[in-house]
Amino acid sequence: MLKKLPIFNHIAAILPHYTSEGDTTTIITTDGKQTSTAVSIRTVLRRLAHSRAMDLTALRQHTILATGQRILQPLPIAPGLVLCPMKTRIPKVAGDTSTGYINYHAVMGVAENNLTSYQAVITLTGNTDIPVYWTSTTVKKHLQSAKLAMSCTAQSSDSHPNLMPIAQKLVEIIYDILVLKNGKE
């Protein structure tokens, strides 16, 4: 059972998980070790934010402005921890979450998965593979949003919020050009 949260840049993923005890949260570190806790993902996120003296509601509002995403926003909690939401399970009970969080900095690769109902697999540091229900295209777009949120959240108070939608569009255009250039998806 988890007594203390790992160091920010050692967290690779925070995932919902069903066990014999019910709905739990599994934290995977960058060296591939897994630790379970009986608290919900929301509680783990709140504790991480609290340890950095952050307000999650304010962080989400700032991320909405930076990325234009109204739901499932990335959470840049610390310099080495940018949590990107991913659909990692189908809930068995109404009210259970289907969304886990992957640390942007721990992602080593994304690949299609044609063998199971999971559509893509995310490879993390520590040789950990996380199957997700989204396509690799959707996963990559969420990772791009995490990168954008990471670059936009460390702004000074005199920055220009009008530039955020322009920056988002530029990231999307560059991403689309790279996808077309490489002939993928």
Side-chain angles (χ1 to χ4, degrees):
M1 205 50 93
L2 182 69
K3 301 242 189 280
K4 184 180 173 189
L5 291 169
I7 299 171
F8 294 115
N9 59 353
H10 291 180
I11 296 173
I14 303 170
L15 306 172
H17 187 70
Y18 289 118
T19 65
S20 58
E21 288 131 26
D23 192 17
T24 63
T25 299
T26 300
I27 297 176
I28 302 172
T29 58
T30 53
D31 59 2
K33 294 180 183 171
Q34 297 185 14
T35 307
S36 289
T37 181
V39 300
S40 69
I41 284 186
R42 287 181 196 101
T43 301
V44 172
L45 293 176
R46 269 196 322 270
R47 288 178 182 172
L48 285 168
H50 179 73
S51 70
R52 297 274 299 166
M54 294 178 119
D55 176 19
L56 272 180
T57 304
L59 179 63
R60 283 188 171 109
Q61 289 301 318
H62 191 74
T63 305
I64 287 170
L65 292 173
T67 65
Q69 282 184 234
R70 300 207 75 41
I71 59 169
L72 298 174
Q73 306 93 358
L75 300 171
I77 303 266
L81 182 64
V82 179
L83 296 174
C84 190
M86 299 288 163
K87 184 173 182 176
T88 58
R89 74 172 180 183
I90 304 292
K92 293 181 181 179
V93 179
D96 285 351
T97 185
S98 63
T99 307
Y101 288 85
I102 307 296
N103 185 355
Y104 172 83
H105 297 288
V107 175
M108 301 299 293
V110 177
E112 289 291 329
N113 182 22
N114 299 323
L115 303 177
T116 65
S117 59
Y118 295 102
Q119 294 188 36
V121 175
I122 301 170
T123 302
L124 303 175
T125 56
N127 291 324
T128 304
D129 287 337
I130 306 296
V132 294
Y133 282 97
W134 290 340
T135 64
S136 62
T137 302
T138 302
V139 169
K140 289 175 184 176
K141 285 194 178 202
H142 277 269
L143 291 172
Q144 286 294 329
S145 290
K147 188 174 184 178
L148 181 62
M150 178 176 53
S151 66
C152 295
T153 53
Q155 300 178 36
S156 64
S157 59
D158 61 344
S159 64
H160 300 282
N162 304 7
L163 296 178
M164 291 310 125
I166 296 169
Q168 178 188 5
K169 281 296 179 193
L170 284 173
V171 168
E172 290 173 4
I173 290 169
I174 292 169
Y175 174 77
D176 291 341
I177 289 171
L178 291 174
V179 168
L180 290 173
K181 181 180 176 185
N182 292 330
K184 295 180 182 175
E185 303 169 10

